[in-house]
Amino acid sequence: MANYGAGLDSGSLVLTTSTSEGYSYVFRLLCNSEDEVMVPKPSYPLFDFLADLQDVKLVPYPLIYDHGWQIDFPTLEQALTPNSRAIVLVHPNNPTGSFISPEERARLNQLCRERNLSLIVDEVFLDYAYDGSQHETFAANDQVLTFTLSGLSKISGLPQMKLAWIAVSGPQEEATEAMQRLEIIADTYLSVSAPVQLAAKTMLDQRLKLQPQLMHRMQTNLSELDLQLAKQKSCTRLALQGGWYAVLRVPVTRSDEDLAIELLTQKSVLVHPGHFYDFPTDGFLVLSLITPEPTFHEGISQLLMVI
Ligand SMILES: Cc1ncc(COP(=O)(O)O)c(C=O)c1O
């Protein structure tokens, strides 16, 4: 986070074994049973399970696509109730690859202040921006109580090393109190593995070698995808700014599920149907851009032939 100019001291950080565990801690901290947390749609599929385990009710708010993705603020505001406790942001979002814009950030801060809500911001893909620019982290957001989650899983490509963190920021009094309560939750589960903590610096430094290679692979795959898409008319790619995925708009001649199953069983091509991520209709496939280049190239050719 120091890379992003957010110089946090260790007193504002709680270590967890994964971002997923971080979500559980924050849900537990902010919510009583049946309290509500707003989550973007489409987005990361694990939210439902994480919330269910903590008896938290998720209320989706839509992201709308118009030459890029934006938060549908009127619908978000309408969906808030006296039980709403927090808004989840994924920055950039999985799988839409959209960052929270500075205008959206200002509006979210204002909304949270007015409605006494916290922000829970998932920044696992923050380092992966296609224009090479640095997008502002929420880890130093001092406007409202903010829990920023990230970890080694995507930063260094080491999901199995099980090290992640929650950075707490906000108006000082609120952040200090939240941190004290969060420490009790974290202490209850005892500390994350000591060997992993000791190796953390080495594993974090590994990102400096990994990320340029991964960005290069994803840029190459994206160019190949665009090249193949330019030769046909039935499929298009949605605009994206970052992350590890591309979303294809495909003709709805059958359900996305059936199409994904046909691609897998008949062509050995693995894609995700849009409904995994709560796309509102059929007609969306999600592709992983971190696939090795020759496999990706072949996979796209097969996919376009089937479509
Ligand atoms: C948006 C998002 N957050 C969190 C995670 C999981 O991170 P972790 O391995 O730290 O639980 C993923 C994994 O794909 C993800 O896409």
Side-chain angles (χ1 to χ4, degrees):
M1 276 167 289
N3 279 0
Y4 288 86
L8 294 175
D9 64 57
S10 56
S12 309
L13 283 180
V14 171
L15 297 182
T16 60
T17 56
S18 62
T19 313
S20 313
E21 190 179 66
Y23 276 110
S24 300
Y25 285 13
V26 177
F27 287 164
R28 191 69 294 157
L29 175 80
L30 297 176
C31 300
N32 288 321
S33 154
E34 295 306 312
D35 278 351
E36 293 167 4
V37 169
M38 318 303 291
V39 286
K41 177 182 162 158
S43 193
Y44 181 48
L46 212 63
F47 292 142
D48 287 330
F49 296 94
L50 293 169
D52 271 357
L53 288 175
Q54 305 292 337
D55 295 322
V56 168
K57 192 173 156 205
L58 292 185
V59 179
Y61 66 89
L63 305 180
I64 38 180
Y65 186 77
D66 182 13
H67 300 96
W69 293 90
Q70 292 141 37
I71 295 175
D72 178 351
F73 275 98
T75 308
L76 167 61
E77 287 172 30
Q78 267 169 23
L80 293 172
T81 74
N83 289 339
S84 308
R85 295 287 166 263
I87 302 175
V88 171
L89 309 172
V90 185
H91 179 55
N93 190 32
N94 169 5
T96 60
S98 46
F99 287 90
I100 306 293
S101 70
E103 297 74 28
E104 287 177 324
R105 182 187 173 115
R107 200 160 165 188
L108 284 158
N109 275 332
Q110 190 186 344
L111 180 63
C112 288
R113 274 198 305 269
E114 286 167 6
R115 306 293 290 256
N116 198 21
L117 301 169
S118 302
L119 286 175
I120 304 170
V121 191
D122 181 328
E123 292 190 347
V124 296
F125 293 112
L126 188 66
D127 291 343
Y128 299 94
Y130 288 98
D131 62 0
S133 66
Q134 242 191 25
H135 291 258
E136 196 181 349
T137 174
F138 278 77
N141 188 26
D142 59 3
Q143 301 291 301
V144 295
L145 188 57
T146 304
F147 301 89
T148 305
L149 315 181
S150 192
L152 289 183
S153 157
K154 305 295 183 296
I155 288 182
S156 298
L158 293 171
Q160 290 308 318
M161 294 318 293
K162 309 308 287 176
L163 185 65
W165 51 84
I166 307 166
V168 181
S169 62
Q172 199 171 0
E173 217 170 292
E174 281 176 65
T176 307
E177 193 202 323
M179 190 65 202
Q180 284 165 354
R181 293 173 57 216
L182 204 50
E183 267 179 17
I184 294 173
I185 298 175
D187 285 350
T188 306
Y189 291 95
L190 305 180
S191 76
V192 302
S193 146
V196 170
Q197 288 190 58
L198 288 172
K201 181 175 180 324
T202 308
M203 292 190 292
L204 263 177
D205 286 348
Q206 197 165 307
R207 78 191 188 285
L208 302 172
K209 282 200 183 134
L210 172 89
Q211 290 184 3
Q213 293 177 49
L214 209 46
M215 281 312 305
H216 181 263
R217 179 185 285 185
M218 292 194 291
Q219 302 269 21
T220 308
N221 283 342
L222 210 48
S223 304
E224 176 61 31
L225 176 61
D226 288 344
L227 209 66
Q228 295 202 32
L229 288 175
K231 296 181 191 150
Q232 52 81 61
K233 288 207 166 69
S234 32
C235 274
T236 52
R237 169 174 79 75
L238 302 193
L240 84 170
Q241 299 172 289
W244 287 7
Y245 310 94
V247 179
L248 279 193
R249 192 86 175 87
V250 296
V252 188
T253 51
R254 67 202 111 168
S255 73
D256 294 347
E257 176 84 5
D258 286 347
L259 178 56
I261 290 173
E262 183 182 334
L263 284 164
L264 186 61
T265 52
Q266 296 187 17
K267 303 288 176 190
S268 301
V269 174
L270 176 60
V271 296
H272 284 170
H275 77 85
F276 276 18
Y277 304 83
D278 270 345
F279 276 84
T281 60
D282 275 318
F284 297 94
L285 293 181
V286 176
L287 317 179
S288 167
L289 292 171
I290 63 168
T291 309
E293 293 92 327
T295 313
F296 187 85
H297 183 137
E298 177 61 20
I300 297 303
S301 308
Q302 296 288 341
L303 184 152
L304 290 178
M305 261 190 287
V306 167
I307 290 175

